[in-house]
Amino acid sequence: MLSVQVSRWSQAAASLLAPQQAVMGWVHSCYARIINVHIPSGRLLTLQGEGMLQAPLGLALATDVAALGTCLPVGALVVQDMPLARRSPAALCLRCADALVWDGQVVAQPGLTPSVLNRQAHALATWLCSHTPSRGLAPLLLALEHGPMGLSATNAATYTALAPLWTGRQAFAIPTLLSLVKALVGLGEGLTPSGDDFLVGLLAVLHITGTLPCSAAAPVREQFCEYVRLGTSQLSGEFLRCAFEGHFAEPLVMLMRALWAPASDAWPSHAATLATVGHSSGVDAMVGIALGCRLLT
Amino acid sequence: MQTHVRCLVLFSTYRDSVWLMHLSHTLEGLPGVQQVAVMMGTPHNKAILQQAGLLTAEGEAGGPNDLLICVQAETPRVAAEALRQATARMTPQGQETTARVAAPRTLETALRRLPDANLACISVPGAYAVHEARKALQHGLHVFLFSAHVDLAAEVALKNLAAQQGLLVMGPDCGTAVLNGVPLGFANRLPRGPVGLIAASGTGLQQVSCLLACQDVGVSQAIGVGGRDVHERIGGYSMRAALQALAQDTDTQVLVLIAKPPAASVAAQLAREAAQAGKPCVLAFVGDTALPAVSEGVYPATTLEEAALLAGALARGTPLPMESVALPASGVAAAQAARMGLQPGQRLVHALYCGGTLAHEALGLLRQALGNVISNLDDTWGAAPKSTHAVLDLGAEEFTQGRPHPMIDPSARRQYLIEAAGHPEVAVVLVDVMLGWGAHADPAGVLAAAWQETQAVAGAAGRALVGIAHVCGAPDDPQGFEQQCQILREHGLLLADSNAQAVRLAAAVLGVHAQTSPAQRLVASITPGAAALPQEQPPPASLPAHLPELLMTGPRVVNLGLELFATQLAAHGAPVVHVDWRPPAGGDTRLAGLLERLR
Amino acid sequence: MSLASPAPIDAANEQALQRIYAARPYLVAVHPARELLPQLHADTILHAGPPIAWEAMCGPMQGAIVGAIQYEGWAADLQSAQALVASGRIRMQPCHSLSAVGPMTGVITPSMPLMVVENREHGNRAYCTLNEGLGKVLRYGANDAGVLERLRWLQQTVARALHTALQRTGGLDLRVMMAQALSMGDEMHQRNVAATALLGQALLPHLARTVPAPEPLGAMVEYLTGNAQFFLNVAMAAAKATMDTAVGLPGCTLVTAMARNGTEFGIRLSALGERWFTAPAPMPQGLYFPGFSATDANPDMGDSAIVETLGLGAFAMSASPAVAQFLGVGGWAEARRYTEEMLEITAGRHLHLLLPTFDELGVPCGIDVRKVVETAIVPWINTGIAHRQAGIGQIGAGVVQAPLACFVQALEAFATAYL
């Protein structure tokens, strides 16, 4: 049994684990520098090395996770460090007692008027067009003004889903959100499809403006989760579920906090960091933020 | 055309997006593959795949947690092969890394693994480079010293030590060499043949050897000696030692010496020893307008292009080119056409170069043709407004602080291209594209993308820029010489065959006729004997005892510094050990000094 | 092809290496410490590691000292023992100062039996205690009645039986035994199971003929074979007897000892004789037994690093992949990397202690302090992890790195003396 110290984890992850519960879960998948653990309630935790938490339910371990992943088969048992766990045939034991907790929740921020939202959204869109114009969904930023010429198949489908909302300029409401989710979930390339990342960005905006309070109504949540369950992978779905509840990965939270901070000119470096996440996941989330703001105003 | 589609479903398989992208690109690059899609099997994605005709019955079976790899190819076999390659990549990479042995940490340990090593390739930071070079010489290894920032006194000491040991020091600041066909540093894939090159200039060596390769003339040895070798205090030691070796080398029939103009005494010494070599020798002091008086069998050249033409003719036994090289008719026509597209205010040339010597040569030629040209190569580059012609060496120290060299990372040039596009008076942009080992995998592609942006910016202001590029590469270079040229042509750049021709093209676009004249050479080569030589002559450099063995059997290398040099040597089949180098004593200079005295 | 002539330092190092390779340690006898070490005064206690004052000692070390005082009968109980040592009337010095070594707290008193290892090539001797076994033991700082009783049993029963059997063998060739053990997966620090078995095999016929009755024989054999780490103490004495031949060679930059007392880590350099160069003892990194964690651990402790000084232990990790997994180091490839890394800082490879998994080449031998400072690669040491409270015992196992500061100090002292 390998015993590893958890150096830092998100509040959301910590709240899912009962302190007295020895069994944490089973290894769901390993790739690159990530190990996903399936917990009994069905959620997915993400184990990673030191650094920014790349998933809303993230645990940063004080060890070489790539090497760890090569000796943990899928299905291996993972336990928390406590006396009960000592006799279990676990492959991995995580010591969480001294782990630092990071709060990754995006809550409603007062004072975000439509003009503030518009201004920062415009600034973010401009940044994306000059730094990452051809990655992921970024071409949509221009396409929505100038037309869908030359878009890739997946971007064209995303364009089709968004265009009616654009031209109609309807007031944004919960039903609109749900129909967007239905149209975009699972759409696109990448381990987390571009459509999912877009929705994560959009949800971040909904939370920070208070449009979707963290305690949204049960029927809405159920419908949302149903679309997600049927439409995309467990891994990507976990990000969406957390986003619905207001929990996001650290790079995205850092950007959100910086975009709407009073002295708001430090955000480009956070945008640059987020742009390095995945192949286009970070960029797609930012497109979701930029377009999400404009949809709301 | 026939199309065959195959789908592979990998159940419950997850790989991160960057990995998926790489797989996608790799499969797309396979011959005969028309379309590739690598995606999670979500309902929306399957719909898109269906519309694109990429979804088969097997693919249908995939679900949101499964990875779909869909390939459309010319034949069923190609499709099957693509899927087989995809499957091969899925196997965990963990086993590979654990099988690799850890790299040695020091020169000594490396020598235990490669006891018959005969050369140390050193590219660690300057201060440490001297220490490592000295250690290498003491262990009986020749040194290829890529590192710059080594002071003059240290270079003198190293070359003296080398002389005592019968070894050769190539460098410091030596970017290129090809020994017995094996590439060191930034070098091109050259055919073997009768021309032996010795250069105190990396890109100068590359340009001449590539021009020879394009003429189908091969190279026996290409020896770099470091940019400062022809300084007065060094006296061209390494160049003269290499000259002795090649004079005796049976595979070499023609010699070429390349350098920026040396001090007069050194130039004269080189001319004298070249004459005594017993083989025809081209002396290319690039940018020199006053040629040394030379004797029979020695041929001065003022440009790299001229050097290559002379050497090529000497190698083939064809008559030497007598007239100055002019633009071919097609070039003249292209220049006229480009000139038409210029706006009235556009009258400047901006040259943006990766290669130092090429920039130097371009500067000299442009000054001859156009008059006032500023550059960061001399102190004409100030904070003055740039309303003049300009030549920028982007590989110079001030541009490469904390950034990779533009030959490795061509994207550095982009911002300067965009700036030029915004400048209303700029008409022509001159660029060099360097191919070969160590250089970027697709410099033309990167340049083409940047050029598109540049034209867009200029176009928005109602202007068009004329872009002139020359690709410095050999036909067999890993990037694909023809393909690289094609990419540039397709993006509207004018291609020149050489740096000198690029300058002539640029001048022609501006309506100026530029000529590089070989006239002086003709006169000089007939004059018998040597006149006006200085009285004091250093003794002739003796042939380093261990140099012929290096040239005959090729380098067996211990590599300290950039790992890519070791990788390219290994790819070439040359014996090499890479050292995982760290500064001695963790960078503590006091302790390092103590260790030095306790050696 | 080296064209430079060898420097005087290299020549001195080569001479030291030749002595180390040529050493032939034999296990020959067991005697009370007072008979072997005339300089061991009646009020002196030896301990592991470099010199240290009572006040600076860690919990386990103090516990062991207090227990040893009672064992010798210098005090009747815990409180009076503590008062005695606090009063300053007890002298404490390193085992190394009298050609001895001890694991963990490494406490030696005049009555304790010591195994004698004789280097028949050079004629010098080295000594080590008998391993107490597992559980509550003096070497982890336990000092209750049970510990003392066991120590007396060792002194009165085991020592005599072992000595008699050894006399009959004429001495056991330890170099051959360790070479064999290397090829059976031992590295002689954290894994000694094969070597212990080989030792038992050699002694059993003689024990059977010299121990009078079945019950005492059974107890004796149980003691020898029931403790997989019995050979550790033997290996330590063999390494000490070997490395001592290289002490005091002028101009030699090889390390002759590495030792820790739970507070400080110390090394000795050949040319500078008995001088210690110390730095704070590091904390081991490794795996903990269930219920324990890094907050419970004591800093690194014991003279057992003499095994690494010779080139065994972590230096021979590539012989012992099982140890690598146990220590949390990884698999076979990782184990090999440890040995390879140690090759960067050693001057030679042992001629007789060979690594079967490494093309039969010898273990890295002769730590050169110049190479340590130049590369900043420090020796790795395989180690048990003790609880920082006296008496609880071993709570895990792992690896520890010698502090670079010791080597820097030693190099500077050498330079001052020689330049």
Side-chain angles (χ1 to χ4, degrees):
Chain A
M1 170 159 76
L2 297 158
S3 175
V4 178
Q5 176 69 40
V6 177
S7 55
R8 198 162 158 264
W9 56 351
S10 70
Q11 175 72 53
S15 67
L16 284 176
L17 293 173
Q20 293 316 310
Q21 173 194 321
V23 169
M24 200 182 260
W26 300 268
V27 172
H28 172 270
S29 50
C30 302
Y31 54 87
R33 287 166 278 276
I34 296 284
I35 300 170
N36 295 303
V37 174
H38 195 162
I39 66 177
S41 66
R43 306 297 293 265
L44 282 175
L45 301 179
T46 299
L47 308 182
Q48 59 169 73
E50 306 275 25
M52 280 205 182
L53 294 173
Q54 301 295 319
L57 299 178
L59 290 82
L61 306 184
T63 190
D64 177 356
V65 173
L68 184 60
T70 59
C71 36
L72 286 180
V74 170
L77 179 65
V78 180
V79 297
Q80 280 195 77
D81 179 39
M82 60 183 51
L84 250 180
R86 248 180 270 160
R87 293 205 186 79
S88 68
L92 176 64
C93 174
L94 294 178
R95 305 196 296 272
C96 308
D98 297 320
L100 296 171
V101 178
W102 171 75
D103 184 357
Q105 191 161 35
V106 171
V107 292
Q109 191 172 312
L112 292 185
T113 61
S115 69
V116 169
L117 276 180
N118 254 328
R119 189 187 66 222
Q120 292 303 79
H122 180 75
L124 181 59
T126 310
W127 188 94
L128 288 167
C129 286
S130 73
H131 289 81
T132 60
S134 47
R135 277 213 270 153
L137 293 174
L140 283 182
L141 293 168
L142 289 176
L144 282 166
E145 308 287 344
H146 303 300
M149 301 305 294
L151 289 179
S152 68
T154 51
N155 283 4
T158 312
Y159 176 89
T160 309
L162 288 174
L165 264 177
W166 212 248
T167 51
R169 297 253 190 256
Q170 321 155 357
F172 191 86
I174 296 299
T176 327
L177 169 65
L178 288 174
S179 63
L180 261 183
V181 171
K182 187 169 183 204
L184 293 177
V185 74
L187 176 63
E189 289 169 322
L191 180 58
T192 51
S194 299
D196 294 5
D197 297 316
F198 177 92
L199 290 171
V200 166
L202 173 60
L203 285 163
V205 172
L206 296 183
H207 278 291
I208 206 164
T209 55
T211 318
L212 183 72
C214 298
S215 56
V220 176
R221 168 188 267 102
E222 265 172 38
Q223 182 64 85
F224 179 91
C225 290
E226 189 63 8
Y227 285 146
V228 166
R229 187 179 70 81
L230 293 172
T232 190
S233 69
Q234 282 175 302
L235 266 174
S236 194
E238 188 59 66
F239 278 72
L240 280 168
R241 260 195 298 275
C242 289
F244 189 86
E245 289 158 11
H247 296 286
F248 300 85
E250 199 167 353
L252 183 63
V253 173
M254 302 296 280
L255 175 64
M256 287 301 280
R257 290 178 184 165
L259 259 178
W260 284 287
S264 47
D265 57 359
W267 61 264
S269 71
H270 294 288
T273 307
L274 186 51
T276 62
V277 171
H279 184 258
S280 64
S281 291
V283 170
D284 294 334
M286 286 194 276
V287 173
I289 295 174
L291 293 184
C293 290
R294 290 168 62 174
L295 283 174
L296 282 182
T297 57
Chain B
M1 182 191 294
Q2 292 249 335
T3 65
H4 299 267
V5 179
R6 286 278 305 272
C7 289
L8 176 65
V9 178
L10 296 165
F11 294 96
S12 292
T13 299
Y14 303 91
R15 288 290 186 276
D16 65 70
S17 313
V18 175
W19 192 96
L20 295 175
M21 240 337 108
H22 279 152
L23 178 64
S24 201
H25 282 153
T26 309
L27 296 181
E28 272 165 4
L30 295 176
V33 169
Q34 294 156 346
Q35 251 200 97
V36 171
V38 178
M39 298 168 135
M40 301 304 288
T42 62
H44 280 313
N45 282 348
K46 289 205 296 191
I48 294 199
L49 291 170
Q50 181 81 282
Q51 278 172 29
L54 285 172
L55 194 65
T56 65
E58 288 99 355
E60 273 287 358
N65 289 295
D66 308 319
L67 187 58
L68 295 190
I69 305 178
C70 307
V71 173
Q72 177 188 53
E74 285 168 8
T75 70
R77 231 190 51 177
V78 170
E81 171 61 20
L83 291 184
R84 193 200 60 77
Q85 286 211 20
T87 316
R89 260 161 239 278
M90 298 307 291
T91 51
Q93 300 299 304
Q95 284 119 23
E96 266 181 35
T97 46
T98 48
R100 255 196 329 203
V101 176
R105 288 278 304 273
T106 62
L107 178 72
E108 287 83 0
T109 334
L111 286 173
R112 278 190 246 172
R113 296 212 199 160
L114 190 65
D116 62 348
N118 60 8
L119 183 129
C121 176
I122 301 175
S123 52
V124 303
Y128 302 112
V130 176
H131 169 79
E132 297 295 337
R134 194 172 324 123
K135 263 203 304 190
L137 289 170
Q138 282 162 349
H139 276 94
L141 303 174
H142 299 279
V143 172
F144 176 85
L145 189 48
F146 182 86
S147 317
H149 308 302
V150 171
D151 66 41
L152 189 55
E155 182 172 351
V156 172
L158 277 178
K159 288 183 173 170
N160 276 332
L161 179 56
Q164 284 169 29
Q165 306 280 60
L167 301 166
L168 183 69
V169 172
M170 291 174 272
D173 197 20
C174 176
T176 307
V178 182
L179 302 182
N180 201 37
V182 175
L184 287 163
F186 296 118
N188 303 85
R189 224 207 207 122
L190 306 169
R192 298 303 296 277
V195 179
L197 302 160
I198 309 172
S201 145
T203 47
L205 179 51
Q206 287 187 275
Q207 167 91 133
V208 175
S209 61
C210 288
L211 289 175
L212 285 171
C214 290
Q215 294 173 50
D216 267 330
V217 175
V219 163
S220 59
Q221 307 283 349
I223 305 175
V225 295
R228 208 169 38 197
D229 191 61
V230 294
H231 186 283
E232 236 169 345
R233 278 187 59 197
I234 314 272
Y237 170 75
S238 290
M239 186 167 264
R240 292 158 59 212
L243 183 54
Q244 294 289 315
L246 291 185
Q248 287 184 10
D249 177 46
T250 48
D251 290 329
T252 304
Q253 315 302 336
V254 177
L255 300 163
V256 182
L257 301 186
I258 305 163
K260 293 184 211 160
S265 57
V266 180
Q269 184 68 22
L270 286 170
R272 189 179 19 252
E273 292 189 9
Q276 288 163 356
K279 299 175 183 174
C281 179
V282 176
L283 273 192
F285 294 154
V286 180
D288 217 358
T289 45
L291 296 169
V294 291
S295 46
E296 187 85 41
V298 178
Y299 304 89
T302 52
T303 66
L304 298 166
E305 171 193 59
E306 202 185 341
L309 287 171
L310 281 171
L314 287 166
R316 287 189 304 254
T318 55
L320 298 182
M322 285 297 159
E323 284 117 21
S324 58
V325 189
L327 276 180
S330 57
V332 173
Q336 306 274 34
R339 194 168 161 62
M340 297 296 163
L342 294 175
Q343 295 298 312
Q346 288 180 275
R347 54 179 192 86
L348 297 181
V349 173
H350 274 195
L352 304 168
Y353 274 60
C354 311
T357 303
L358 296 177
H360 176 89
E361 182 178 67
L363 180 61
L365 293 171
L366 282 171
R367 278 179 173 156
Q368 274 181 35
L370 302 176
N372 185 26
V373 183
I374 59 172
S375 172
N376 69 324
L377 288 169
D378 56 25
D379 35 9
T380 56
W381 183 268
K386 314 288 194 284
S387 201
T388 48
H389 306 293
V391 171
L392 262 192
D393 172 16
L394 294 173
E397 202 184 317
E398 60 265 32
F399 292 113
T400 53
Q401 292 290 1
R403 297 202 57 167
H405 193 281
M407 270 178 71
I408 303 178
D409 177 20
S411 63
R413 189 156 39 190
R414 178 187 160 278
Q415 93 187 62
Y416 297 97
L417 285 167
I418 307 257
E419 262 178 46
H423 192 313
E425 293 183 277
V426 171
V428 177
V429 175
L430 265 183
V431 286
D432 57 351
V433 178
M434 305 295 302
L435 304 185
W437 299 96
H440 190 270
D442 180 19
V446 174
L447 175 60
W451 184 248
Q452 269 189 316
E453 281 189 71
T454 308
Q455 288 291 54
V457 169
R463 290 191 300 273
L465 286 185
V466 177
I468 301 176
H470 80 275
V471 176
C472 179
D476 288 333
D477 269 338
Q479 291 86 348
F481 183 78
E482 272 315 313
Q483 293 91 309
Q484 293 283 293
C485 290
Q486 187 61 15
I487 291 173
L488 295 174
R489 274 190 217 107
E490 280 170 2
H491 283 81
L493 288 142
L494 294 179
L495 279 195
D497 295 328
S498 71
N499 193 29
Q501 194 186 75
V503 170
R504 283 193 292 275
L505 253 184
V509 171
L510 294 183
V512 174
H513 177 61
Q515 175 159 341
T516 48
S517 165
Q520 287 170 291
R521 167 182 48 83
L522 191 55
V523 169
S525 72
I526 296 174
T527 313
L533 287 176
Q535 303 305 318
E536 303 238 359
Q537 305 166 23
S542 53
L543 173 62
H546 303 285
L547 184 51
E549 190 264 345
L550 174 66
L551 297 179
M552 200 150 59
T553 62
R556 296 179 294 277
V557 181
V558 174
N559 185 54
L560 295 102
L562 293 175
E563 192 164 2
L564 76 96
F565 291 156
T567 317
Q568 84 195 27
L569 282 165
H572 212 273
V576 57
V577 175
H578 176 72
V579 169
D580 178 15
W581 181 85
R582 318 275 167 87
D588 183 325
T589 41
R590 185 186 58 88
L591 284 177
L594 260 186
L595 284 169
E596 198 53 43
R597 288 154 67 204
L598 289 173
R599 200 156 285 288
Chain C
M1 51 164 185
S2 179
L3 303 175
S5 57
I9 296 177
D10 292 331
N13 290 356
E14 187 56 37
Q15 185 191 15
L17 281 176
Q18 291 309 318
R19 289 189 181 190
I20 293 169
Y21 301 155
R24 287 179 298 126
Y26 280 76
L27 181 62
V28 295
V30 183
H31 289 298
R34 68 165 58 81
E35 288 177 27
L36 296 167
L37 310 171
Q39 314 95 308
L40 187 64
H41 299 278
D43 55 358
T44 309
I45 296 184
L46 303 181
H47 63 80
I52 182 162
W54 166 255
E55 299 76 27
M57 284 183 180
C58 63
M61 185 73 86
Q62 288 188 334
I65 301 265
V66 163
I69 289 174
Q70 293 173 72
Y71 165 77
E72 282 294 323
W74 296 339
D77 56 32
L78 203 63
Q79 285 86 335
S80 35
Q82 276 167 343
L84 185 60
V85 68
S87 74
R89 291 208 296 283
I90 301 293
R91 240 206 310 225
M92 289 172 289
Q93 62 189 77
C95 297
H96 269 286
S97 63
L98 294 180
S99 303
V101 281
M104 282 299 160
T105 54
V107 165
I108 296 178
T109 58
S111 306
M112 277 188 196
L114 300 179
M115 293 187 290
V116 180
V117 171
E118 187 177 70
N119 178 358
R120 289 188 176 165
E121 184 69 18
H122 212 82
N124 63 310
R125 292 175 145 206
Y127 315 100
C128 189
T129 46
L130 290 165
N131 194 293
E132 291 160 271
L134 306 168
K136 287 205 178 231
V137 287
L138 194 75
R139 73 173 182 281
Y140 282 101
N143 51 25
D144 62 22
V147 173
L148 302 183
E149 195 180 298
R150 190 167 175 76
L151 284 172
R152 286 185 196 109
W153 177 69
L154 285 179
Q155 176 190 338
Q156 285 151 9
T157 311
V158 173
R160 211 158 294 171
L162 191 54
H163 178 78
T164 315
L166 276 172
Q167 294 292 291
R168 294 199 58 180
T169 65
L172 296 174
D173 186 334
L174 296 178
R175 192 171 81 186
V176 164
M177 209 172 275
M178 292 195 292
Q180 244 183 313
L182 269 177
S183 71
M184 293 164 76
D186 278 2
E187 31 75 280
M188 257 62 72
H189 195 152
Q190 278 303 300
R191 201 182 126 110
N192 283 283
V193 62
T196 302
L198 291 171
L199 188 67
Q201 197 180 48
L203 285 170
L204 208 45
H206 303 285
L207 279 175
R209 290 184 175 94
T210 56
V211 178
E215 194 41 53
L217 176 60
M220 187 60 204
V221 170
E222 230 165 30
Y223 164 73
L224 270 184
T225 59
N227 175 10
Q229 281 288 74
F230 180 81
F231 195 87
L232 173 62
N233 297 45
V234 179
M236 287 171 61
K240 173 72 175 162
T242 305
M243 294 313 296
D244 269 355
T245 60
V247 170
L249 292 176
C252 175
T253 56
L254 302 186
V255 173
T256 51
M258 293 192 288
R260 323 80 106 203
N261 56 31
T263 309
E264 289 197 304
F265 190 111
I267 68 167
R268 285 176 159 186
L269 194 63
S270 168
L272 302 174
E274 311 247 324
R275 232 171 109 181
W276 287 101
F277 300 95
T278 61
M283 293 296 271
Q285 326 150 23
L287 294 178
Y288 289 87
F289 299 158
F292 298 104
S293 76
T295 46
D296 304 315
N298 197 68
D300 195 34
M301 186 163 57
D303 284 331
S304 55
I306 191 69
V307 159
E308 270 81 4
T309 312
L310 174 57
L312 297 167
F315 283 52
M317 189 100 84
S318 77
S320 208
V323 161
Q325 287 186 353
F326 175 56
L327 298 176
V329 155
W332 180 83
E334 280 72 24
R336 189 181 162 113
R337 286 225 182 88
Y338 278 77
T339 299
E340 277 178 358
E341 207 182 21
M342 296 301 95
L343 282 169
E344 300 276 358
I345 54 172
T346 45
R349 302 191 75 156
H350 204 287
L351 293 179
H352 309 287
L353 298 172
L354 307 179
L355 294 164
T357 54
F358 210 121
D359 310 318
E360 290 291 330
L361 289 170
V363 299
C365 189
I367 302 166
D368 186 342
V369 74
R370 298 176 298 170
K371 294 191 183 196
V372 173
V373 175
E374 175 165 6
T375 60
I377 296 174
V378 285
W380 285 103
I381 297 162
N382 287 349
T383 187
I385 308 176
H387 198 288
R388 59 186 163 69
Q389 277 173 39
I392 297 186
Q394 189 176 2
I395 61 169
V399 289
V400 74
Q401 285 184 289
L404 185 60
C406 299
F407 300 87
V408 171
Q409 282 173 43
L411 184 78
E412 287 175 338
F414 182 89
T416 311
Y418 279 85
L419 285 179

